[in-house]
Amino acid sequence: MSEITDFDSLRRAMAENGEQPEGPARNARAEQLLLEAEKLKIPLAVIEALGHQLKVYNYSSEKAKMFVPFARLLRMWDERPEDFDAYETHSLHWVFKWMSAGMLDQPHVPLASVEKWLGEMEHRYRLAGHSERAVRSAEFSVAAHVGDVERAERAFAAWLAADRDAMADCHACELHGQGWWRAERGRDAEALEVWAPVLDGEYACAHEPHTVLASSLLPLLRLGRPEEARAHHLRGFRLVRPMESMRGAYADHVEFCALTGNEARGLELLAERPAYFTDDGHPRSRLEFLSVVVLLMERLTGLGLGGERVPGPAGREWTATALADHARAQALALAARFDERNGTPHVSERARARMTQRPLVERLPLGVRTARPVSAAAASTPSAPSPAPAGASGGEPEPAALLAEARRLSDTLRPHAAEAWARVAEVAAGSQDMELEARDRAEIADHEAIGLGPEGAERFERAAELYAQAGDPGEALAARARAAYVRALAGEVDEALAAVAGPYDRVLALYADGGTQVPQAAGVLMARARILMRRVHEAEGPVDRADLTAAEAAVGELLALVDGRAGDDVRLAARIAEGHAMLAELAVRSGDPEAGVRWFARAADEFVAAGLPWFAVEYEARLAGLAHQLDDMAEAERALRAALEHGGPFLEAVGRAQLHLQLAEVVGGRGETAEAAEHALEAAHWADEAGVGPTFGAWARHQLGGYLVRQGRWAEAAEVLESALADLSAETHGDGAIVQTQWWLGDCLSELGDHRDAAERRLQAAEIARHWPEQHDHATLAHLAAESLGQAGLHTEADRAYARAGDLWRGLGNVHGLVRALRARAWLALRAEDGTAAARDLMATALEECADAFDAARGDEDRRRLVAELGHTHRQFGDLLARSASEDADDDSIRTVLDEALSQMAEAVAVFVALGDGALHARAGAELAAGWLESDLGRPAEAAARARAVLRAYADADTRAATGSDAGPDDRGAYGEQDDYGDRGGDQAGPGDEETVRARRTEAEQLLQVAEEQKDR
């Protein structure tokens, strides 16, 4: 902590404190700095320290402390206004608005005092010559807070009608308030129109777009725009999270989670901010926070999770029910204090309405990781309800109706048939009036066995006995065949084949004698075919030809029996479709994937035609995989979409996740990143629902983050990627996935201006890639990390990282990366004290590397790219020399340096001219830079000649109407990022870029005008 010895050191200390995170530590430092300011005996020092203290209080949870320093400032102004400079005079009047809002937010301040203060603000603004715009805005806030709609509308209109001046809130904050009122009055679409300039980045400030993003969440949901609401949540919460003073906006995000089926994420948000439950420096935002806590806890209770542990105020453990009661009591007590002060019930009514909201969206996946409560997840997983028994209109259905419905479901292969038979058994066991026939009991046992899987052999045998008692020997043999098949599922394939041999022989004989029908015989043949297919499935490596032949013969025998005889029998139609699916599998295992595609497609179509689309899903998924393997992406996409459609509500969560992720990869592969992101989002959601969030879900989030990056949705991508990193592991997902995720995240953070964090992510990725045999990724990441370190102001660390990247590029023989690392180091060196000589040496080395590489290059394209690199290096060397000219040096020294810079620019121009139209923009940029140097050196004729050369070059290009593209790699680094000295425009654009052409021509005309004026002097 620096010592305060004079006014300058005080100002530095206040500036440093202003950069610290919001919170009590920053506030305490501001209080200490005020004491230090008082020791200086300089009135302006005290004024500035009081202003600093007031500002940090306002941007913290201790807003109530603002009144004391402001009262002191106002007294000092009234006593000695001459002690205030222009900036502090402006600041004093500016914070009148903070005081007005601050009083309104404190229920212990009487409303009469608020109104009196409003009048004082109006009086002082009028004396200072300010517009009434800020006054009317403050009056609107008072009226809206107490629920005086008529007065609020009048003040609102007056606010908008008054002129904007220096005291008006910033555009972003004003637009937030104006949109908020429209949303409050039920005009959501208008609100979003008002907020659009803030959401689009046209206006911003310390708290915007943070609050606009938060306020827009519910209007977007109410307008049926959930995808935008999700994006605003991910983007906005990232902005709000580190800012202690934004409890109200934080509450909006918790509320959003509670109303979109994201209760688990809402709990995570509460856990991040335990102090928000108790911080009392800003009662109004505490009321808002506690109200949405009640809302969230009531949602959990409604899901049957009232007894679950939840995060709450420190000092005890909380259940959802207990926290709801506590938060409700606290919130309503606070609201009552406001209402008592205001003389209206408005605040309490709003709080109660907020607590009792109903969900606006039942399920809105966010893409971020959540530890979802198991019971809540189970409650929200879609499933098809079991149809009510036919004829049942209420109460307990009749036993006969239950039995008829169970038989209907099983005969038509409907889902829930097993449950229906279980219900029959349950009712029969508890009823003295319901007696089951042997056939009924056989079907109950049959379906019980189906539900037991490999453990169901005994129940199938029992079913066989009962079928025999019922006089159906064919179905008895089919049941015994099913018993044999479940043994194969348990791995006992040989034993299963032996067990099915007897039923197989007997059923064929029985069918030949007319003792049974096609369905029963088909049941035995299908079981035998399935057993033989198990040998094919379980084979490691190539399948024995004998096993393939035996299975194919068994399937052929089944199809020969059934094909053409199905009629309206759904079960027989399903046998045919499954038989064709078996042929597809056999074709694939025989090395004929094209035939596999045809058979799988036929099987899926037959299941759909039979009214059994959910059975088609497995085969459509297999078809998609084969089509992908055959590079038939259109067929793969069609099959995946069909599988999702046909699975409907019967698709398991994990299967749904897998299909969505496969579809994301297919549509993403053809460039449809927006749709790919939606499917990856669904995949992540269903992976969480299936309980595989840390494994499959993490991979889905990794993919989702990548698709968001490709769309430039940096804040959303960053949230998703950080969430993915929490679960990605080298053992499960591979270290390549971790490196790519860190890489993408670094890109996001860089775009968001978080350069220090971007550097950390890129360095972490580089450390992993350091151990890979191929080092290109390592070099690229080191270069990117160096760029981020430089942008974060960590120049020493950036130089080391660039040096490391340069060594790696050299080892890879990548002269372009090496040269750009050298150029970047030169620019960093120029920043250092006495660093000009080192900067020159580094640029000279970069030129030498280009020349050496050109001599060793093979092929015209390599030489052309190296020539382009040489031109860019000459250009940057010229810029560097021009910027190195010290204003303190004598004129001759400056002219010498500028002459050297001009020489480098001239070299650059010559190089780009040699590259032709493909380097037109690069040439024009260098030519103009040289022209300005000519002007600085007092050579207007030469400057004018260069300006005319640029105009002529573009005119010639227009005439030819074929300008080409910039030669070689553009000036964005070897990894496609910004240039190493920060020039993102001009030379990077292709010559067909109208904006660049227009800018170049405009600059050339300006240079020409300056040159002509110089000649006339």
Side-chain angles (χ1 to χ4, degrees), residues 834-847:
D834 299 326
T836 302
R840 284 169 169 264
D841 289 344
L842 286 161
M843 278 293 185
T845 302
L847 287 173

Side-chain angles (χ1 to χ4, degrees), residues 8 107 164 168 267 307 407 447 482 533 591 672 678 681 721 741 753 780 801 924 932 939 983:
D8 286 341
R164 277 190 58 83
L267 291 177
R407 188 159 285 131
H447 285 88
R482 289 191 284 274
M533 287 297 297
E672 299 292 336
E678 287 297 318
L681 177 70
L721 293 167
T741 304
T780 304
W932 290 113
R939 302 168 186 165
D983 182 1

Side-chain angles (χ1 to χ4, degrees), residues 667-701:
V667 299
R670 59 179 171 83
E672 299 292 336
T673 53
E675 185 184 353
E678 287 297 318
H679 287 296
L681 177 70
E682 289 290 330
H685 170 77
W686 289 111
D688 289 341
E689 294 287 351
V692 292
T695 51
F696 190 83
W699 180 253
R701 276 181 270 279

